[in-house]
Amino acid sequence: MVLLLERISKLYSKLENHHHHHAADPRQSKALSASLQAFQSDVSCCLNRLRLNSKPGSELLSLTWVRQCFGLIPVINRAFAKLVVDIDYPISKWEVASVEEYLNYSLILLELFNSISSSLAYHGQARLSLAHALSLVEDSPSSAIERLKAVEPRSVSKDLREGTEEATERICSDEEGVMREALTVMRSIGFWVCGIVLSCLCSDGKPYLEMRKWVGGLENSSFVELDSSIREIVMEKGSVLKEVKELNDAVSCLVAALVSGKYSEAAKEMEGKLEVYEKLVDGLKDEVDHLFSEVLAARNKLVDCLRHPKE
């Protein structure tokens, strides 16, 4: 994305001529095809690594895996930017519909990041509440029992905004067609990833199902296999995070131990689970905040270039 935007300021003066495309010669078509294949290969490699990091037969998704999944977005963004530079086709040359699709995608992505941040804030508050309850164990066991509550599922605060529909026809023999095919893949992965992350953080399959409707252009075997596994876990086994289940189990054990009066080991176990939970939630939050800033800055720079084209 950074490479893409760096080229805008240098090449925006060509905007008025971006409708005058010429038929590509065989060598140009071959080069375009090679660039698209390289992009698709990068996407497949990323999806395959994520698939291999999934434990076969696992019934729960972990925060560690969710963080790796979220990391697909910046990697695919960079692969898309590299493609645009390789084929020498910056946004200044794009058709209006493609520019609008790109801007719409980045806007929805920012809204999804906000929803993810809100869900992470909920988990942060839950951790603080449990940490406070844990601090009361020694001096006031009864008060600790009252405050030791499991981390409950959280619904997404509002309906997820729908993405733009995929074009029914695509021309892939020139730069515009190649770029649009890659744009569709980037957009689809962004929505798909955000849906998975939200479903895991909220313990609710709805975000994944809603975002899954807008996935297109991802017909490689790695995606099909990975998506099938995730769908099975989310829809059939539930989308409760591994760390959340373990923490809730530790809460139940500590409450039972407090009632019996022998709670030292249970308290230590829960403290360890809280530390892991805090570290993983904070790590994902940092990545979401960083990517939000990066996408927002890129979008603002693009909008500014559209408003004030250079001579």
Side-chain angles (χ1 to χ4, degrees):
M1 185 174 292
V2 174
L3 291 172
L4 175 66
L5 291 171
E6 286 177 347
R7 300 296 295 272
I8 291 176
S9 59
K10 297 179 181 179
L11 299 172
Y12 200 89
S13 60
K14 298 181 181 180
L15 179 61
E16 294 180 355
N17 298 320
H18 78 285
H19 288 294
H20 302 293
H21 298 301
H22 299 285
D25 60 35
R27 287 176 298 180
Q28 183 182 13
S29 296
K30 186 176 181 179
L32 290 173
S33 178
S35 294
L36 180 59
Q37 288 177 7
F39 170 79
Q40 292 170 335
S41 178
D42 288 342
V43 171
S44 294
C45 287
C46 292
L47 291 169
N48 196 45
R49 281 197 298 269
L50 185 63
R51 181 179 62 82
L52 293 176
N53 285 336
S54 304
K55 294 182 179 179
S58 175
E59 296 184 359
L60 297 172
L61 298 176
S62 69
L63 269 170
T64 299
W65 185 88
V66 168
R67 186 172 175 181
Q68 293 173 349
C69 184
F70 185 78
L72 281 177
I73 297 178
V75 172
I76 302 304
N77 283 352
R78 288 193 292 270
F80 176 77
K82 181 179 183 299
L83 168 79
V84 171
V85 172
D86 286 346
I87 66 175
D88 192 21
Y89 198 66
I91 290 181
S92 58
K93 296 181 179 180
W94 294 9
E95 299 291 344
V96 173
S98 297
V99 174
E100 290 178 348
E101 182 177 344
Y102 179 87
L103 290 174
N104 184 61
Y105 164 65
S106 63
L107 179 60
I108 297 174
L109 200 61
L110 292 173
E111 292 177 353
L112 289 169
F113 289 169
N114 276 332
S115 294
I116 291 173
S117 293
S118 178
S119 296
L120 287 169
Y122 169 78
H123 282 275
Q125 184 59 47
R127 187 204 65 79
L128 286 174
S129 296
L130 287 173
H132 175 62
L134 191 60
S135 71
L136 299 173
V137 165
E138 290 292 340
D139 296 331
S140 182
S142 60
S143 295
I145 291 175
E146 290 178 2
R147 291 169 172 77
L148 284 168
K149 305 294 182 183
V151 180
E152 298 292 340
R154 177 181 184 273
S155 299
V156 178
S157 59
K158 61 181 180 178
D159 291 336
L160 297 173
R161 179 172 172 176
E162 294 183 344
T164 53
E165 291 195 33
E166 183 183 0
T168 56
E169 295 184 5
R170 293 191 180 279
I171 301 174
C172 298
S173 60
D174 60 7
E175 293 92 339
E176 178 74 14
V178 169
M179 178 280 300
R180 281 188 64 83
E181 187 162 338
L183 177 58
T184 295
V185 172
M186 179 177 71
R187 163 185 170 277
S188 296
I189 288 179
F191 291 161
W192 179 72
V193 166
C194 288
I196 293 171
V197 173
L198 280 170
S199 281
C200 290
L201 292 177
C202 299
S203 299
D204 180 3
K206 180 180 177 181
Y208 164 73
L209 290 179
E210 289 298 312
M211 292 294 97
R212 184 62 182 78
K213 296 176 183 178
W214 302 101
V215 172
L218 294 174
E219 299 179 354
N220 66 71
S221 58
S222 294
F223 172 77
V224 172
E225 184 175 344
L226 181 57
D227 183 60
S228 177
S229 298
I230 292 171
R231 184 181 182 86
E232 180 182 358
I233 293 172
V234 171
M235 300 310 301
E236 296 182 14
K237 300 176 181 177
S239 53
V240 178
L241 286 165
K242 175 177 177 288
E243 291 83 3
V244 171
K245 183 181 184 302
E246 291 179 350
L247 182 57
N248 286 343
D249 289 345
V251 168
S252 297
C253 288
L254 180 55
V255 169
L258 286 168
V259 172
S260 69
K262 298 179 180 179
Y263 53 81
S264 178
E265 289 188 10
K268 184 179 296 185
E269 177 72 13
M270 180 176 160
E271 184 179 8
K273 297 297 182 185
L274 269 177
E275 290 177 357
V276 171
Y277 183 52
E278 177 183 18
K279 180 179 180 180
L280 292 172
V281 168
D282 287 349
L284 180 55
K285 179 181 181 299
D286 289 343
E287 290 195 18
V288 174
D289 289 346
H290 176 76
L291 191 54
F292 181 96
S293 298
E294 185 177 283
V295 172
L296 180 61
R299 190 175 193 280
N300 287 342
K301 186 172 182 179
L302 170 58
V303 171
D304 186 61
C305 286
L306 292 173
R307 289 174 177 170
H308 307 290
K310 294 190 176 182
E311 299 298 331

